[in-house]
Amino acid sequence: MKRPSVRKLAVLGAVVAAAVAVLALRAGGPADSPAPSGPGSGTSSSDVQQDPGSAEDYWTPERRASAEPAPMPGE
């Protein structure tokens, strides 16, 4: 049985890579494309204007001393 040439394998690899890229783009689009929002999309957004001093007022020395870190995934 004859072995395939390196060139044929390279072309086959390029074709497979191109096909996978096309399927990935058709399935989900680029990762940086914004998700739809608005009525009926199940998402919402709003601007929050908060005084930075309010966080400073909240985190008293007593609260900082008794604070515990949030659990990390897998813990």
Side-chain angles (χ1 to χ4, degrees), residues 50-67:
Q50 186 173 350
D51 175 31
S54 65
E56 190 175 301
D57 294 339
Y58 177 83
W59 285 107
T60 63
E62 294 81 20
R63 279 199 169 129
R64 285 195 296 272
S66 65

Side-chain angles (χ1 to χ4, degrees), residues 31-75:
D32 60 348
S33 63
S37 63
S41 69
T43 63
S44 64
S45 67
S46 61
D47 290 329
V48 176
Q49 301 296 325
Q50 186 173 350
D51 175 31
S54 65
E56 190 175 301
D57 294 339
Y58 177 83
W59 285 107
T60 63
E62 294 81 20
R63 279 199 169 129
R64 285 195 296 272
S66 65
E68 295 183 20
M72 293 288 110
E75 288 185 359

